[in-house]
């Protein structure tokens, strides 16, 4: 009985404090709050433009480092505005904040469950670094460059120049493949197929030279040619790195175009697939 009475008294006290806080919300405070929200919105845009502009001006080796600072600056702006809003309406005192904490937590927990999950995953991702701005990642069926890291999710720019928004809570359910992990270079792998009677040493030499002489190749990183025998062909893979991961598909095109020119010159035999059995 004593505990029950104490809880009722505590609940009445909290209700009184909440009521008093609501009464203190004036039109002037609401207008200030709206202005702070607008300021946060434009602040996010301004920070993104400044960081992206600066990333293109600094030396190439620092470009990704500058871009990867964008989530921090966005969180910094949101943090300042968030604290200002709380101070505006709650005066940041324990007597004002504690009565609302439980109520707000329950309300937000039900109303924004998925959003909260994405935000928490985004915070964890800042420490675990499965992806950063500038990384080339594959999440589910989507592949592209991370061009934006927001509070709820990231934006990928695909090879077809589409923008895909992916919530951070995919961390819980999807595997994430990262091609460059914060580095400028991302390994490019190109497949070639030839007949079993092809001159293997010549193929190795040509593929290595094609990569070595490309203007896009990062020569400080290894160039590797590997092969595998298939029932219908000899399979070669050329593994090398472009100087800038953003040139991935231009680099692939350059390598394939120049390689096929040499293959045609040396009359290298391509595999002939057996006819399909329609019976």
């Amino acid at each position: 009985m004593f505990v029950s009475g104490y809880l009722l008294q505590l609940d009445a006290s909290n209700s009184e404090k909440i009521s008093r806080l609501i009464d203190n919300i004036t039109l002037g405070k609401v207008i200030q709050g709206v202005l702070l929200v607008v300021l946060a919105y434009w602040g996010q845009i301004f920070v993104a433009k400044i960081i992206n502009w600066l990333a293109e001006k600094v030396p190439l080796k620092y470009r990704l480092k500058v871009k990867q600072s964008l989530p921090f600056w966005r969180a910094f702006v949101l943090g300042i505005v968030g604290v200002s809003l709380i101070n505006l309406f709650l005066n940041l005192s324990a007597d004002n904040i504690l009565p609302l904490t439980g109520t707000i937590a329950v309300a937000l927990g039900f109303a924004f469950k998925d959003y909260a999950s994405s935000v928490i995953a985004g915070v964890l991702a800042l420490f675990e670094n499965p992806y950063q701005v500038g990384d080339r990642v594959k999440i589910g069926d989507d592949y592209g460059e991370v061009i934006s890291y927001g509070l709820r999710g990231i934006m990928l720019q695909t090879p077809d120049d589409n923008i895909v928004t992916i919530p951070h809570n995919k961390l819980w359910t999807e595997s994430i493949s990262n091609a460059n992990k914060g580095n400028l270079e991302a390994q490019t792998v190109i497949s070639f197929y030839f007949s079993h009677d092809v001159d293997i040493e010549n193929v190795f030499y040509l593929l290595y030279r094609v990569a070595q002489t490309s203007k896009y190749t990062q020569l400080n990183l290894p160039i590797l040619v590997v092969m595998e025998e298939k029932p219908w062909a000899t399979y070669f893979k050329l593994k090398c790195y472009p100087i800038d991961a953003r040139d991935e598909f231009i680099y692939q095109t350059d390598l394939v175009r120049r390689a096929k020119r040499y293959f045609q010159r040396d009359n290298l035999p391509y595999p002939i697939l057996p006819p399909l059995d329609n019976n």
Side-chain angles (χ1 to χ4, degrees), residues 193-196 230-234 270-278:
Y193 298 89
F194 294 98
S195 173
H196 287 301
K230 301 285 187 182
W232 51 274
T234 301
Y270 288 102
I272 299 175
L273 295 177
L276 294 177
D277 187 1
N278 295 323

Side-chain angles (χ1 to χ4, degrees), residues 87-104:
N87 189 46
L88 178 65
F89 292 104
L90 303 180
N91 296 322
L92 286 181
S93 68
D95 287 340
N96 290 338
I97 294 176
L98 291 178
L100 289 177
T101 302
T103 304
I104 293 175

Side-chain angles (χ1 to χ4, degrees), residues 20-22 24-34 36 83-92 96 100:
R20 188 165 62 249
L21 284 174
I22 293 174
N24 288 333
I25 298 177
T26 62
L27 179 60
K29 287 186 176 183
V30 171
I31 293 175
Q32 290 181 56
V34 172
L36 284 172
V83 170
S84 299
L85 284 171
I86 293 173
N87 189 46
L88 178 65
F89 292 104
L90 303 180
N91 296 322
L92 286 181
N96 290 338
L100 289 177

Side-chain angles (χ1 to χ4, degrees), residues 198-199 202-203 205-206 259-269:
V198 71
D199 185 344
N202 191 28
V203 174
Y205 171 77
L206 291 177
K260 288 181 72 69
R261 186 190 305 158
Y262 289 122
F263 299 158
Q264 186 177 19
R265 183 199 66 184
D266 291 359
N267 293 316
L268 297 185

Side-chain angles (χ1 to χ4, degrees), residues 21-59:
L21 284 174
I22 293 174
D23 291 339
N24 288 333
I25 298 177
T26 62
L27 179 60
K29 287 186 176 183
V30 171
I31 293 175
Q32 290 181 56
V34 172
L35 290 176
L36 284 172
V37 172
V38 172
L39 179 64
Y41 174 78
W42 286 108
Q44 295 281 295
I45 295 176
F46 177 75
V47 166
K49 286 186 178 294
I50 288 294
I51 294 297
N52 289 329
W53 174 83
L54 185 61
E56 300 302 327
K57 298 298 181 183
V58 299

Side-chain angles (χ1 to χ4, degrees), residues 48-123:
K49 286 186 178 294
I50 288 294
I51 294 297
N52 289 329
W53 174 83
L54 185 61
E56 300 302 327
K57 298 298 181 183
V58 299
L60 185 62
K61 63 180 179 178
Y62 297 120
R63 179 175 62 82
L64 287 184
K65 297 297 182 183
V66 173
K67 279 196 169 185
Q68 287 160 6
S69 70
L70 182 57
F72 167 80
W73 291 113
R74 279 183 161 170
F76 181 74
V77 171
L78 288 176
I80 291 177
V81 173
V83 170
S84 299
L85 284 171
I86 293 173
N87 189 46
L88 178 65
F89 292 104
L90 303 180
N91 296 322
L92 286 181
S93 68
D95 287 340
N96 290 338
I97 294 176
L98 291 178
L100 289 177
T101 302
T103 304
I104 293 175
V106 172
L108 293 180
F110 283 104
F112 300 104
K113 181 179 66 174
D114 291 336
Y115 188 89
S117 175
S118 292
V119 171
I120 293 171
V123 173

Side-chain angles (χ1 to χ4, degrees), residues 32-246:
Q32 290 181 56
V34 172
L35 290 176
L36 284 172
V37 172
V38 172
L39 179 64
Y41 174 78
W42 286 108
Q44 295 281 295
I45 295 176
F46 177 75
V47 166
K49 286 186 178 294
I50 288 294
I51 294 297
N52 289 329
W53 174 83
L54 185 61
E56 300 302 327
K57 298 298 181 183
V58 299
L60 185 62
K61 63 180 179 178
Y62 297 120
R63 179 175 62 82
L64 287 184
K65 297 297 182 183
V66 173
K67 279 196 169 185
Q68 287 160 6
S69 70
L70 182 57
F72 167 80
W73 291 113
R74 279 183 161 170
F76 181 74
V77 171
L78 288 176
I80 291 177
V81 173
V83 170
S84 299
L85 284 171
I86 293 173
N87 189 46
L88 178 65
F89 292 104
L90 303 180
N91 296 322
L92 286 181
S93 68
D95 287 340
N96 290 338
I97 294 176
L98 291 178
L100 289 177
T101 302
T103 304
I104 293 175
V106 172
L108 293 180
F110 283 104
F112 300 104
K113 181 179 66 174
D114 291 336
Y115 188 89
S117 175
S118 292
V119 171
I120 293 171
V123 173
L124 290 177
L126 284 174
F127 295 96
E128 295 184 0
N129 280 336
Y131 44 67
Q132 304 174 74
V133 174
D135 285 355
R136 306 188 73 84
V137 301
K138 185 176 186 345
I139 303 176
D141 295 328
D142 298 305
Y143 172 77
E145 179 184 353
V146 180
I147 60 172
S148 176
Y149 191 115
L151 189 64
R152 188 188 69 88
I154 60 174
M155 288 186 179
L156 291 185
Q157 185 171 27
T158 70
D160 295 327
D161 208 26
N162 295 323
I163 304 298
V164 180
T165 301
I166 301 177
H168 290 303
N169 62 6
K170 289 289 184 179
L171 279 172
W172 314 135
T173 58
E174 299 283 349
S175 60
I176 298 172
S177 175
N178 193 322
N180 57 324
K181 192 63 176 174
N183 299 312
L184 279 173
E185 308 88 358
Q187 187 180 77
T188 295
V189 180
I190 306 175
S191 300
F192 298 94
Y193 298 89
F194 294 98
S195 173
H196 287 301
D197 58 354
V198 71
D199 185 344
I200 293 175
E201 296 304 323
N202 191 28
V203 174
F204 268 80
Y205 171 77
L206 291 177
L207 290 179
Y208 186 87
R209 289 295 296 166
V210 162
Q212 189 180 48
T213 57
S214 173
K215 65 181 180 180
Y216 299 103
T217 300
Q218 174 54 270
L219 295 176
N220 293 328
L221 294 173
I223 299 171
L224 185 65
V225 180
V226 297
M227 64 174 288
E228 181 182 346
E229 198 71 359
K230 301 285 187 182
W232 51 274
T234 301
Y235 172 40
F236 294 84
K237 285 196 289 187
L238 173 61
K239 299 181 177 183
C240 45
Y241 296 81
I243 296 173
D244 191 333
R246 292 186 297 182

